[in-house]
Amino acid sequence: AIVVRDTGVGISEELRGRIFGRFEKGSAAVRRGASGSGIGLSLVKELVDAHGGTITIESPRGGGSIFRISLPAQPTNSGTKLSAEISPAAILSTLKQVADWQLVHPSSSNQRYTERAWTWGAFYTGLMALSQIADSTKYHDAMLAKAKSFNWEPAPRIYHADDHCVSQSYLELYFKDREPAMFGPTKQRFDYILAHPATNDLRMGTRGAQDRWNWCDALFMGPPAWIRLYKATGDARYLDFMDREWRATSAYLYDPEEHLYFRDSTYFDKREANGKKIFWSRGNGWVLAGLARVLPFFPADDPRRKLYEQQFKEMAAKIASLQQADGLWRSSLLDPQSYPLQETSGSGFYTFALAWGINNGLLDRATYEPVVRKGWTALVACVTPDGKLEHVQPVGADPKHFEP
């Protein structure tokens, strides 16, 4: 590893998302009239990428920045075809290659969202899961460096679930490293919410509506953080809040006939071209994966757990029935003919959640394992030789046509 430190003015979180771009200069450097070309960091990153390494930035408050460069001891397998074999070694190799690619390629959404935002949330949770089975500390260390650079803080909006998503990874780092400071800012934020709970209507468009979980994506963003804070502290208030708000969202957005979630209230009366209700693949993926991330921490003897298990089983059965012949799901769950493009974000969530359900005894292996195997094989086929996962629908709220 190579570590470079400076004592400058620091790099803002917004700038970190684009600092490795060609001819990019920090705003402070521009104000000072610095003569540099803004190409140095871009060249460094290209060299690190070419060797299969990673580069991360820490820029604590008060100025100064720390750049950490890690390079593999052995050549990487970048550029080689991924194996579709379903074995622990092959799966781990694929997970590592995809994670390695994402670590060194900032998201295209960084122009709008910072690295603490929900757009990175699913990746961070995957990175933490990978760190538990990887043969090195690389992924743990990468997430630790990011968390430190974020000062362990949730994103800025106090109530918005999207801005709580990153706290899931802070708490999982705490479970590993046992340093209470890792969840201190999250606890402070959630304690404020407990003292000043939002009570607004869940109808989208009303004032302050998204101060509560009034869109289905929120069930992945917020609840897993709340229940992990309960696990870390033993304080049942966090579990009680999560359960109360989940039930409110479920009662509002869950369709008991279709066993799927509307994205939000604006979709209640909308229909697809074939006349079916609009159920977005990634939206329901957020929920099913959210259930799989809440249930491991929900006390087994708590009678409230039954609702979560029942909903998980109902959704799993419905989702399995909607898998397409190629192993993936389409952006519109009930009108795949109108959206024929393969879509991997929802499909990835489903494959993960169904596998979790099998491994934890909630789903019948004989019924669901073929679905998982078919899904995994299809997902691997959507990964380029250098590790980029393609066919991901861009940021949105409903089924869309997009460039794969």
Side-chain angles (χ1 to χ4, degrees):
I2 301 169
V3 180
V4 179
R5 305 171 188 265
D6 67 38
T7 56
V9 297
I11 302 172
S12 69
E13 184 179 345
E14 177 190 9
L15 183 57
R16 275 174 245 163
R18 63 177 193 271
I19 193 66
F20 294 109
R22 289 286 180 99
F23 309 113
E24 181 66 54
K25 294 183 181 181
S27 57
V30 173
R31 288 196 301 270
R32 295 197 309 268
S35 60
S37 66
I39 201 172
L41 284 175
S42 174
L43 293 175
V44 170
K45 184 177 183 301
E46 289 180 15
L47 286 170
V48 172
D49 288 356
H51 289 84
T54 61
I55 180 168
T56 60
I57 307 171
E58 298 175 35
S59 195
R61 286 199 182 95
S65 301
I66 304 171
F67 293 82
R68 299 181 188 275
I69 298 173
S70 298
L71 298 171
Q74 300 293 332
T76 68
N77 58 353
S78 179
T80 61
K81 183 175 176 60
L82 295 173
S83 172
E85 177 188 355
I86 299 181
S87 68
I91 291 172
L92 179 59
S93 177
T94 297
L95 294 174
K96 289 167 62 177
Q97 196 155 334
V98 173
D100 290 347
W101 186 93
Q102 192 64 63
L103 280 170
V104 297
H105 291 85
S107 169
S108 60
S109 66
N110 274 8
Q111 298 301 316
R112 179 179 176 187
Y113 300 102
T114 71
E115 288 191 326
R116 274 190 299 169
W118 65 274
T119 47
W120 284 86
F123 174 62
Y124 293 153
T125 59
L127 200 66
M128 289 306 302
L130 177 57
S131 75
Q132 297 174 25
I133 60 173
D135 48 9
S136 77
T137 63
K138 174 180 180 178
Y139 305 104
H140 168 276
D141 295 346
M143 190 64 237
L144 182 64
K146 285 187 178 293
K148 288 181 176 179
S149 75
F150 303 154
N151 297 306
W152 303 99
E153 294 175 346
R157 291 173 294 182
I158 293 176
Y159 290 97
H160 205 292
D162 285 354
D163 287 13
H164 303 161
C165 191
V166 69
S167 292
Q168 299 178 38
S169 295
Y170 298 159
L171 284 152
E172 290 184 358
L173 285 167
Y174 164 75
F175 294 147
K176 173 69 174 177
D177 299 337
R178 294 294 170 178
E179 296 182 20
M182 292 176 167
F183 66 77
T186 296
K187 184 177 184 301
Q188 183 178 14
R189 171 76 60 83
F190 288 5
D191 285 348
Y192 179 89
I193 294 172
L194 289 177
H196 309 87
T199 58
N200 49 272
D201 190 285
L202 293 176
R203 183 166 53 87
M204 185 64 81
T206 58
R207 183 178 178 84
Q210 289 189 292
D211 286 350
R212 297 179 69 194
W213 302 336
N214 79 327
W215 73 111
C216 71
D217 315 28
L219 297 183
F220 181 94
M221 312 300 175
W226 281 85
I227 202 166
R228 280 163 175 73
L229 186 58
Y230 156 70
K231 179 67 174 180
T233 63
D235 189 335
R237 293 181 303 154
Y238 304 121
L239 175 63
D240 294 343
F241 177 89
M242 187 223 75
D243 177 66
R244 182 175 69 251
E245 291 300 303
W246 184 296
R247 287 171 183 270
T249 303
S250 177
Y252 192 58
L253 297 180
Y254 186 59
D255 187 315
E257 296 178 355
E258 296 290 355
H259 294 159
L260 295 169
Y261 270 79
F262 289 100
R263 197 274 178 175
D264 59 61
S265 63
T266 64
Y267 293 90
F268 288 164
D269 299 322
K270 294 179 181 179
R271 295 295 181 266
E272 295 285 16
N274 64 1
K276 297 291 184 68
K277 298 173 183 176
I278 298 177
F279 291 112
W280 183 35
S281 180
R282 184 160 68 229
N284 279 275
W286 287 123
V287 179
L288 195 62
L291 283 163
R293 289 184 56 74
V294 163
L295 279 165
F297 297 94
F298 214 115
D301 59 352
D302 191 320
R304 295 174 296 182
R305 181 186 171 95
K306 182 178 179 180
L307 176 141
Y308 298 81
E309 291 189 355
Q310 177 181 342
Q311 196 165 96
F312 180 84
K313 292 176 181 178
E314 290 176 353
M315 291 189 70
K318 183 67 174 188
I319 290 302
S321 74
L322 298 172
Q323 187 178 38
Q324 299 300 295
D326 61 5
L328 297 177
W329 287 259
R330 298 301 184 261
S331 293
S332 174
L333 290 174
L334 300 189
D335 189 11
Q337 290 75 25
S338 292
Y339 300 89
L341 280 176
Q342 295 179 317
E343 205 290 310
T344 55
S345 63
S347 298
F349 280 135
Y350 298 144
T351 303
F352 152 69
L354 296 177
W356 179 87
I358 294 168
N359 291 333
N360 287 274
L362 288 178
L363 300 179
D364 175 63
R365 181 174 294 275
T367 301
Y368 289 94
E369 185 170 324
V371 180
V372 171
R373 287 179 173 271
K374 194 173 180 181
W376 176 258
T377 301
L379 286 167
V380 173
C382 293
V383 179
T384 65
D386 62 350
K388 179 183 179 182
L389 177 63
E390 297 186 322
H391 298 275
V392 180
Q393 182 184 336
V395 172
D398 53 19
K400 286 287 190 297
H401 298 284
F402 60 95
E403 290 295 326

